Amino acid sequence: MHDRSLSRRTLLTATAATAVAAGAVATASPALAHPSNRNRLKRLISLMSLEEKVGQLFVMRVYGHSATAPDQADIELNLKEMGVRTAAELVAAYHVGGIIYFSWAHNTRDPHQIADLSNGIQRAGLAQPTPVPLLISTDQEHGIVARVGRPATLLPGAMALGAGGARSDARSAAQIAGAELAAMGILQNYAPVADVNVNPANPVIGVRSFGADPEAVARLVAAQVKGYQGAGVAATSKHFPGHGDTTVDSHTGIPVITHTRQQWEEIDAPPFRAAIAAGIDSIMTAHIQFPALDPSNDPATLSRPILTGILREELGYDGVVVTDALNMQGVRDKYGDHRVPVLALKAGVDQLLNPPDLAVAWNGVLSAVKSGEISVSRIDESILRILSLKERLGLFRDPFVSHRRLDRTVGIGAHLAAADRIAERTTTLLVNEGGLLPLSRRRQPALLVVGADPASPTGTTGPPTAVLAKAFTELGFTATALSTGITPTAAKIEEAVAAAGGKDAVIVGTYNVSATSPQRTLVARLAATGVPVVALAIRNPYDIARLDGVRAALAAYSWTDVELRAAARVIAGRAEPRGRLPVPVQRADDPAQVLYPIGHGLSFD
């Protein structure tokens, strides 16, 4: 049963008891501009024990769909990794200031369950000796990174929005996403990505970036900041000082950015400057080495020259700085897990996100404060930023969410229709030999849809071949789906070639085609049948440079349903291809030569 009894009065009563005990004002004010408001937060901080203060700095994962009654398997994972059974016990034991939701941690089954989990976590926060609401966060970038799936609205990701190019669409997408997150109790979103993807080989950013043009990225980042924060959710631009030019994934190694200081100013800095000018609530650090900004080669997350010298002092940012996840290898290689959070705080960080071992990290910070390595005033500074953000988001007025509001907000028809309209403006037509597209259900009624079927980012959409085939069928075609995978076997290629017999066209969904990818063989063999082949890149738009024999090629920038349906409507002529490449596509045989420049995109006219 959903808990509908929580109210503003519940929180005010809880906070009043502690506030009155210290002579503080019992009720919270939404305005942080007044010195009296900061003074109230400072008095609240003064009530906290050192252990509570240290806890406020951490944002932690927890397994389970419920704050108090998760499944037994999740209880066992919590005991193994954190020594607690539930989210409520985690809050009580470590006084964490935030919780991050993951689908793989079983936090995000459905919107009503998420709302109940959020309310349960907030009750745990108010049950502490010093009652403080928690800031609940997630990575809901949309596109290829999303933690909350259907029936919530899923929107085009960053590079798709970059292809659309409209600030109004970027802002609308963020407003919709933010409103739905807030209705579920998630008030900090680790988006938008502010990295400028100038390296096609980037294994971790790619289509998570708006594109390769710094100024275009900056405009869309600012638009999304306004959209999220206008909906009452803290936006987070990431990954400072810029993760767009790397060939190493910081989840598994330590990338080195070789840009000069001038290149950083011209390429990497503009989106972060735009985010700060737009009033960004939080900025996430990158686990990257950037020798031109800090020759010590410490990861940026642990670099005082980068986080304090550049971000705080040069760029003038005084909001919340959050680390990227501290369980990523890029930040763990040089120092031990007990030292990483200490060094991050000394560098200028406020929130410590998802350490691999919370007890080790928490006790490492506690010991550093007790020994005097980190002053109490230094952690008070970060806590004040964190509490100020919580107050600005309304958590001190009422941290609870209602299911009535959720039903009026999450996955509603207006949001779903807007997502479809926005997606329609992103699909990019790269090649259209002989005017093959749009396909006609009278001239080309029989279609075969083959290709890669990567797992859904949320586990609630796809598979892509089936989604496309269904979309074409609904548009009046007879479409058959055949999943051939990201690395099709010889047998699967033969099956696809046989299935193409008698078809009027074949749509192939390609996924990050490399020089040695058997997807190239699949496409070439299908083209050799004489049946017209349409290639649809469902992740990075660079695939066309490695494909031969296709009559038409498009970029969808993601394999989520909303983008696939939009691509089907374009292929079928129900929508115009309005997207324009936000990154250049280079020649496969000579990367110094551009095959299709930024701004390339064909129309049907």
Side-chain angles (χ1 to χ4, degrees):
M1 179 179 295
H2 300 311
D3 186 342
R4 301 174 188 270
S5 63
L6 303 171
S7 68
R8 178 175 183 270
R9 184 182 301 277
T10 309
L11 175 62
L12 294 182
T13 301
T15 54
T18 302
V20 170
V25 176
T27 56
S29 166
L32 282 179
H34 303 295
S36 61
N37 214 314
R38 289 178 66 86
N39 289 336
R40 290 171 191 156
L41 294 178
K42 288 179 179 178
R43 285 196 290 271
L44 178 60
I45 294 169
S46 74
L47 299 176
M48 296 179 183
S49 66
L50 180 56
E51 290 77 9
E52 287 175 314
K53 289 183 177 183
V54 170
Q56 278 296 307
L57 305 172
F58 284 93
V59 180
M60 193 59 187
R61 69 187 179 278
V62 67
Y63 293 92
H65 71 287
S66 165
T68 55
D71 294 340
Q72 184 61 37
D74 291 320
I75 290 174
E76 292 170 3
L77 286 168
N78 286 328
L79 286 169
K80 178 182 178 182
E81 295 188 16
M82 289 159 282
V84 298
R85 294 166 53 85
T86 67
E89 289 183 12
L90 178 71
V91 174
Y94 290 99
H95 318 291
V96 292
I99 296 287
I100 178 173
Y101 287 170
F102 292 106
S103 50
W104 53 259
H106 312 135
N107 304 139
T108 57
R109 290 182 179 177
D110 67 76
H112 283 283
Q113 167 268 317
I114 295 169
D116 285 338
L117 175 60
S118 298
N119 286 341
I121 288 170
Q122 297 299 358
R123 284 196 298 273
L126 298 184
Q128 298 181 94
T130 308
V132 181
L134 279 83
L135 185 51
I136 297 170
S137 60
T138 199
D139 292 285
Q140 190 77 352
E141 298 173 14
H142 290 272
I144 72 167
V145 175
R147 311 303 186 199
V148 180
R150 294 188 304 187
T153 305
L154 294 173
L155 293 131
M159 193 169 284
L161 293 171
R167 281 177 286 185
S168 58
D169 281 349
R171 183 167 183 166
S172 294
Q175 286 173 326
I176 291 168
E180 297 199 4
L181 289 174
M184 292 179 276
I186 302 169
L187 293 188
Q188 185 176 25
N189 191 22
Y190 299 131
V193 171
D195 303 317
V196 181
N197 199 76
V198 293
N199 190 336
N202 194 321
V204 65
I205 304 301
V207 293
R208 297 168 63 196
S209 164
F210 290 106
D213 179 347
E215 296 306 321
V217 173
R219 288 192 295 271
L220 296 177
V221 165
Q224 290 228 297
V225 170
K226 294 293 189 182
Y228 280 119
Q229 295 184 184
V233 168
T236 308
S237 58
K238 59 186 185 184
H239 307 78
F240 189 83
H243 207 318
D245 190 2
T246 174
T247 57
V248 175
D249 184 344
S250 52
H251 291 83
T252 57
I254 179 69
V256 179
I257 307 297
T258 59
H259 291 183
T260 65
R261 174 63 192 243
Q262 182 176 349
Q263 287 174 318
W264 177 80
E265 291 281 1
E266 295 172 351
I267 298 171
D268 304 292
F272 291 101
R273 291 184 186 276
I276 293 169
I280 187 79
D281 279 329
S282 52
I283 291 177
M284 180 179 283
T285 67
H287 304 326
I288 57 174
Q289 294 176 348
F290 210 129
L293 304 184
D294 182 356
S296 76
N297 281 337
D298 278 344
T301 297
L302 311 182
S303 169
R304 186 171 178 83
I306 291 174
L307 298 187
T308 296
I310 295 176
L311 181 57
R312 295 284 192 207
E313 295 173 357
E314 291 185 26
L315 301 188
Y317 181 65
D318 194 36
V320 171
V321 174
V322 56
T323 69
D324 204 345
L326 296 181
N327 62 351
M328 293 166 59
Q329 202 59 42
V331 78
R332 301 177 69 191
D333 279 347
K334 195 172 179 180
Y335 302 99
D337 289 337
H338 69 297
R339 291 297 297 163
V340 165
V342 174
L343 296 173
L345 290 168
K346 292 175 74 172
V349 158
D350 301 305
Q351 288 183 310
L352 302 161
L353 177 62
N354 201 29
D357 188 320
L358 180 58
V360 167
W362 190 85
N363 282 303
V365 174
L366 187 65
S367 296
V369 178
K370 287 182 175 179
S371 71
E373 182 181 2
I374 298 177
S375 67
V376 173
S377 62
R378 167 64 191 89
I379 65 169
D380 285 354
E381 176 186 321
S382 285
I383 295 167
L384 182 59
R385 287 195 187 99
I386 293 165
L387 295 186
S388 295
L389 177 55
K390 290 180 179 182
E391 184 166 26
R392 194 156 63 247
L393 295 170
L395 284 167
F396 282 99
R397 297 192 303 278
D398 188 351
F400 301 111
V401 292
S402 76
H403 291 275
R404 182 177 300 175
R405 176 190 171 194
L406 186 151
D407 287 333
R408 293 198 307 261
T409 307
V410 177
I412 59 174
H415 287 178
L416 297 172
D420 280 334
R421 288 194 302 271
I422 292 169
E424 233 172 46
R425 294 189 278 268
T426 68
T427 305
T428 307
L429 179 59
L430 303 175
V431 174
N432 193 19
E433 291 184 1
L436 174 66
L437 301 185
L439 299 180
S440 165
R441 61 185 177 181
R442 291 182 294 276
R443 295 191 304 273
Q444 298 120 334
L447 306 180
L448 174 66
V449 179
V450 303
D453 272 338
S456 165
T458 63
T460 64
T461 65
T465 53
V467 171
L468 283 167
K470 181 182 178 183
F472 284 119
T473 299
E474 291 174 348
L475 292 169
F477 296 85
T478 301
T480 303
L482 173 62
S483 177
T484 49
I486 294 173
T487 55
T489 63
K492 188 60 72 173
I493 291 172
E494 293 301 328
E495 183 181 356
V497 169
K503 298 298 189 292
D504 298 303
V506 179
I507 291 84
V508 185
T510 64
Y511 182 98
N512 290 6
V513 178
S514 66
T516 58
S517 173
Q519 293 179 75
R520 300 182 69 189
T521 305
L522 170 68
V523 171
R525 289 288 309 282
L526 288 169
T529 67
V531 178
V533 173
V534 178
L536 176 65
I538 62 172
R539 187 166 178 169
N540 289 341
Y542 312 111
D543 292 358
I544 183 58
R546 297 192 184 276
L547 300 178
D548 296 317
V550 300
R551 291 275 304 279
L554 306 95
Y557 308 100
S558 179
W559 61 94
T560 53
D561 292 9
V562 68
E563 286 158 300
L564 296 175
R565 289 195 306 266
R569 291 195 297 276
V570 169
I571 292 170
R574 300 299 179 88
E576 287 289 327
R578 302 183 189 177
R580 298 293 180 263
L581 278 175
V583 293
V585 174
Q586 296 155 318
R587 291 177 59 102
D589 57 350
D590 184 4
Q593 299 295 316
V594 173
L595 185 63
Y596 301 112
I598 291 176
H600 173 76
L602 305 177
S603 66
F604 292 149
D605 297 333

